[in-house]
Amino acid sequence: MRAYLARDVVFDLEENEVGIRCAGAPVREVGGRVSAAISVASAIPFMPEERLEEIAPLVRAAADDISRELGWSR
């Protein structure tokens, strides 16, 4: 969990649904409060852990873009 917190991206490695993996990131409002989240999910054959690592920065960047539109800044 500390690693997820440091990266500001989380992985679901079938904890929610067997056979499904996803990468997610929080969306923040102007005050920094988390108000939503985005994720990219797929079945395991299409989302091995290596792919999760590849898309994590893209998910984080998309969440940051949305957060900035809501008035948040890092």
Side-chain angles (χ1 to χ4, degrees):
M1 294 306 288
R2 287 185 180 127
Y4 289 152
L5 184 60
R7 289 176 62 172
D8 213 20
V9 173
V10 297
F11 292 160
D12 178 340
L13 303 174
E14 298 183 84
E15 290 91 357
N16 187 52
E17 184 73 32
V18 174
I20 302 294
R21 291 182 177 160
C22 75
V27 173
R28 293 183 168 82
E29 296 178 352
V30 67
R33 185 176 74 93
V34 174
S35 59
I38 64 167
S39 69
V40 174
S42 188
I44 287 179
F46 307 104
M47 191 69 79
E49 288 190 45
E50 298 80 25
R51 182 70 177 140
L52 281 171
E53 292 293 340
E54 290 173 8
I55 67 167
L58 302 173
V59 172
R60 174 70 266 142
D64 283 349
D65 288 346
I66 296 167
S67 297
R68 280 191 291 278
E69 289 292 322
L70 295 173
W72 173 82
S73 64
R74 192 171 286 276

